[in-house]
Amino acid sequence: AQSVTQLGSHVSVSEGALVLLRCNYSSSVPPYLFWYVQYPNQGLQLLLKYTSAATLVKGINGFEAEFKKSETSFHLTKPSAHMSDAAEYFCAVSKNSGGSNYKLTFGKGTLLTVNP
Amino acid sequence: DGGITQSPKYLFRKEGQNVTLSCEQNLNHDAMYWYRQDPGQGLRLIYYSQIVNDFQKGDIAEGYSVSREKKESFPLTVTSAQKNPTAFYLCASRGAYTDTQYFGPGTRLTVL
């Protein structure tokens, strides 16, 4: 079975500071990994995904994540936070199955607050 | 524009009433999903469909029903058997040969 743990339900940073949102996964097979962002009362928007190509994945809005198999982690980072980054972030895992598994397992989310 | 639409944005229901949430996509995706989101709980899968006229239960299907008569549409009915239906409901779709799901804007259901 797959699972995702997001460490820290709430992270607060100052504008311009480094953003680090943590995600650890458990999967019996090589996984696909995703980060989504959700703004208040909206749907989820894909930030980036890891699909077993490069271990460092660049996404939209200046975010990136690094897949570390030895640590079973896929932490999301951004060098300099902007006020517009304030949102909830979800990590998700799927089996590396070329689409045949269909299901994503989501973490519980991390709410990012950016202080001026 | 291609995308996923959900309607209505906000929905109020009295206890004991069934209510149907709409989800439509024009992305030509075969697979569609319904999730429920509660504060601090992440997203939980209710039902999913990989092809027209076929669907499977997710992790929390009790009290819900779906249909998939058209590729573009995957409506979710919240029945009176659902004990705690107040939540934010998200619909998603996925194209062939990819695990990436794309989400609609959601429907917030409140039971009065």
Side-chain angles (χ1 to χ4, degrees):
Chain A
Q2 304 159 135
S3 67
V4 174
T5 302
Q6 291 186 240
L7 299 175
S9 59
H10 187 193
V11 170
S12 182
V13 301
S14 298
E15 192 173 18
L18 171 72
V19 175
L20 171 60
L21 304 182
R22 300 178 187 273
C23 173
N24 287 89
Y25 70 91
S26 171
S27 177
S28 58
V29 297
Y32 283 173
L33 292 158
F34 304 79
W35 276 101
Y36 285 87
V37 61
Q38 185 182 34
Y39 299 99
N41 289 312
Q42 295 187 25
L44 274 66
Q45 179 183 4
L46 181 68
L47 271 180
L48 51 82
K49 63 179 180 180
Y50 166 76
T51 57
S52 74
T55 56
L56 182 63
V57 182
K58 294 188 183 298
I60 62 172
N61 301 338
F63 284 93
E64 62 181 35
E66 186 172 8
F67 173 70
K68 292 187 176 180
K69 184 178 179 180
S70 61
E71 299 177 7
T72 61
S73 69
F74 190 57
H75 301 331
L76 182 71
T77 61
K78 181 174 180 178
S80 177
H82 191 272
M83 296 296 290
S84 62
D85 295 325
E88 191 157 21
Y89 293 80
F90 292 93
C91 183
V93 63
S94 172
K95 288 182 183 178
N96 180 353
S97 57
S100 64
N101 182 55
Y102 325 122
K103 293 194 287 183
L104 292 177
T105 300
F106 285 86
K108 294 187 184 299
T110 297
L111 181 64
L112 176 66
T113 301
V114 182
N115 303 308
Chain B
D1 286 338
I4 303 171
T5 57
Q6 292 186 242
S7 61
K9 180 69 173 176
Y10 298 95
L11 188 56
F12 297 89
R13 179 195 111 175
K14 292 182 179 179
E15 280 194 33
Q17 290 182 336
N18 293 353
V19 62
T20 298
L21 282 60
S22 169
C23 177
E24 304 277 334
Q25 55 97 2
N26 61 5
L27 301 169
N28 199 33
H29 286 172
D30 286 314
M32 297 185 74
Y33 305 79
W34 274 105
Y35 293 91
R36 170 181 172 139
Q37 184 178 19
D38 297 282
Q41 302 243 7
L43 277 70
R44 293 181 289 170
L45 182 64
I46 304 172
Y47 268 98
Y48 63 102
S49 168
Q50 299 170 42
I51 197 169
V52 175
N53 293 322
D54 184 57
F55 49 83
Q56 287 80 39
K57 293 181 179 180
D59 301 319
I60 56 165
E62 185 175 352
Y64 299 97
S65 66
V66 294
S67 63
R68 188 82 187 280
E69 298 177 359
K70 299 188 299 181
K71 186 175 186 178
E72 303 79 15
S73 179
F74 190 41
L76 173 74
T77 297
V78 184
T79 75
S80 57
Q82 169 51 234
K83 297 305 179 188
N84 186 21
T86 295
F88 191 51
Y89 291 87
L90 288 159
C91 178
S93 70
R94 176 184 60 81
Y97 309 111
T98 176
D99 286 71
T100 303
Q101 294 182 22
Y102 297 91
F103 285 80
T107 292
R108 185 166 298 281
L109 173 64
T110 302
V111 174
L112 303 173

